Amino acid sequence: MTDRRTVEVLLSRYGTTYAAEAGIRLRNAPQPLYQLLVLSDLLSARIRASVAVAAARALFAHGLRSPDRMIGATWQQRVDALGEGGYRRYDERTATQLGDGAELLLFEYGGDLRRLRGEADGDLDILRSGLRRTPGVGPAGADIFVREVQAVWPETAPFLDGKALQGAENLGLPASPAKLVRLAEQAEQAEPAGESGHLADHGPATLAAALVRAALDKHVVDDVEAQA
């Protein structure tokens, strides 16, 4: 089993970003970027990733897709939406943080995270520091946001944080971000074209999400090793 084959199987079976799983059509625009911030907040808690994704989908299904709409909802409405997604252990605290975070985002950036991007100007430390000002978004949440946003903010790529590299280690892959990205590029070139005639796009964000799944779930590691 070669490293390239391992990455090829990992991406083919688990190569979906958490944003896509949560139904976010990520692009460089205020609303999807805000939705990603909400998802990053939810994913950073000590709770299963699947529950955090379900909670995000429930919030968005209730129309809470922008800072204005988040503030416009009552605290109880936010609690209820989180509960629908199974996010019950932290629902009350998180409902408060989501309201406070939306207010801060509107006050500091007019609800547009692209302004934070402009302030950071490619400096990841500044970007993560700015993200951590959001209630509920600590170092882990900031890293989650950057892992996912690199799909549309190329100056942040490639970003493979400690959790992604832990997944690489679990799979017996090199702990070098540059080597991992190169393996993903090779795997993409080796992958047959789909029905549309185009190769799948396995960028650094997709690679990072797949590696994180390998860090969080031993079943993912066992499945990839069996298929590779």
Side-chain angles (χ1 to χ4, degrees), residues 7 160 165 168 173-184 207 211:
V7 172
L160 300 179
L165 295 179
L173 294 169
S176 162
K179 289 182 179 179
L180 289 166
V181 169
R182 180 58 184 156
L183 286 169
L207 172 63
L211 289 170

Side-chain angles (χ1 to χ4, degrees), residues 138-220:
D143 282 353
I144 292 167
F145 184 92
V146 178
R147 279 201 316 251
E148 296 275 321
V149 86
Q150 64 183 319
V152 293
W153 290 358
E155 72 276 11
T156 64
F159 182 76
L160 300 179
D161 64 349
K163 185 62 70 175
L165 295 179
Q166 179 186 335
E169 181 180 354
N170 289 352
L171 290 164
L173 294 169
S176 162
K179 289 182 179 179
L180 289 166
V181 169
R182 180 58 184 156
L183 286 169
E185 291 172 347
Q186 293 172 348
E188 182 176 335
Q189 292 167 3
E191 186 175 331
E195 293 181 2
S196 65
H198 297 290
L199 295 174
D201 181 12
H202 296 313
T206 303
L207 172 63
L211 289 170
V212 167
R213 288 183 168 87
L216 297 176
D217 189 347
K218 188 177 184 300
H219 167 76
V220 172

Side-chain angles (χ1 to χ4, degrees), residues 83-96:
E84 284 182 23
Y87 205 87
R88 296 184 180 89
R89 183 177 177 186
Y90 302 104
D91 55 354
E92 296 186 356
R93 183 182 71 183
T94 301
T96 299

